[in-house]
Amino acid sequence: MNVSVSVKSDTGRPSDYWFETSLFLDKLKTTGIGQKALERTLKKIDPKKVGSGKYTVIIENRVAGRIAGPIYDALSGINIYQKQSFLIGKENKPITSSLLTVYDDPLIPSGLGSRLFDDEGFAAVRRPIIEKGILKNYYIDDYYGKKLGMKPTSGTSSNIVFNTGVRSNDRYGRIAQERNIDYRIHRR
């Protein structure tokens, strides 16, 4: 369920949205979606420029995929085979900060990407992708596994899980709210 809101202001016409998803209708949140979209839109009225500097950046979970997308593209068997990946030969080597750990977990109950088997019938397993900054697995299906001489893992991702940091979400939420910050990534 998705709601978009746009408002007219003296500084433009800001807009935003909010959505809720669920695999099961009885678990779908159907109230408050419009209110959340409106609150997000109203925060964009009268934006202020910030000066250059070093800032703590809060990346909202709904845009994290845009940041991680290039990494996940580079992990696919087709891109490795076609030599279009910057991660070729990087398995078991550091590729990010040691603070980052990412798992692919197809076994999360009611997860949007949950499954018992992948597209080729391989049993689904929780799999480390990046562990403390070290690349642990690529997404290799059976076809590219044979082409590359690599063991198939699964050709597609399921539920991507990032380990949480040491700071609480509440702390970041308070910082963003106090400063009336809306962190988004825009494509140009």
Side-chain angles (χ1 to χ4, degrees):
M1 187 168 293
N2 183 36
V3 175
S4 296
V5 175
S6 177
V7 296
K8 187 174 182 182
S9 74
D10 295 337
T11 57
R13 191 166 191 86
S15 65
D16 209 321
Y17 68 96
W18 191 252
F19 67 94
E20 295 290 339
T21 60
S22 175
L23 290 177
F24 305 101
L25 185 60
D26 63 332
K27 293 184 180 182
L28 179 63
K29 182 179 177 188
T30 58
T31 59
I33 300 167
Q35 182 65 35
K36 182 80 170 179
L38 177 62
E39 289 169 6
R40 295 174 63 84
T41 301
L42 294 176
K43 286 182 180 182
K44 293 181 173 184
I45 292 177
D46 196 25
K48 306 281 188 263
K49 289 188 177 187
V50 294
S52 296
K54 189 174 182 179
Y55 296 95
T56 298
V57 177
I58 301 169
I59 299 170
E60 188 179 38
N61 61 353
R62 70 180 187 162
V63 296
R66 289 186 184 172
I67 294 170
I71 294 174
Y72 274 82
D73 289 345
L75 292 170
S76 75
I78 187 171
N79 288 328
I80 294 167
Y81 180 72
Q82 294 177 349
K83 304 203 181 326
Q84 295 179 346
S85 170
F86 62 92
L87 294 175
I88 294 171
K90 301 287 185 180
E91 196 168 21
N92 294 314
K93 294 181 181 168
I95 61 166
T96 69
S97 162
S98 62
L99 298 174
L100 182 64
T101 295
V102 181
Y103 288 88
D104 189 303
D105 190 352
L107 305 175
I108 295 173
S110 301
L112 292 177
S114 293
R115 59 191 183 206
L116 295 177
F117 300 94
D118 72 7
D119 297 345
E120 298 182 306
F122 291 109
V125 296
R126 183 175 190 261
R127 181 182 322 281
I129 303 302
I130 300 169
E131 219 168 34
K132 295 183 180 176
I134 297 171
L135 176 61
K136 292 297 184 179
N137 278 292
Y138 295 106
Y139 287 102
I140 307 293
D141 63 14
D142 193 47
Y143 177 80
Y144 286 106
K146 289 175 185 167
K147 292 273 191 189
L148 293 164
M150 298 172 77
K151 180 184 175 196
T153 56
S154 180
T156 58
S157 61
S158 62
N159 299 304
I160 306 302
V161 180
F162 290 78
N163 274 12
T164 56
V166 295
R167 297 182 180 138
S168 74
N169 286 342
D170 290 342
R171 177 176 180 245
Y172 285 119
R174 281 193 310 275
I175 291 169
Q177 198 168 33
E178 288 167 8
R179 298 179 187 166
N180 199 25
I181 298 171
D182 179 33
Y183 287 98
R184 295 178 53 138
I185 296 181
H186 297 278
R187 288 190 178 170
R188 295 182 184 225

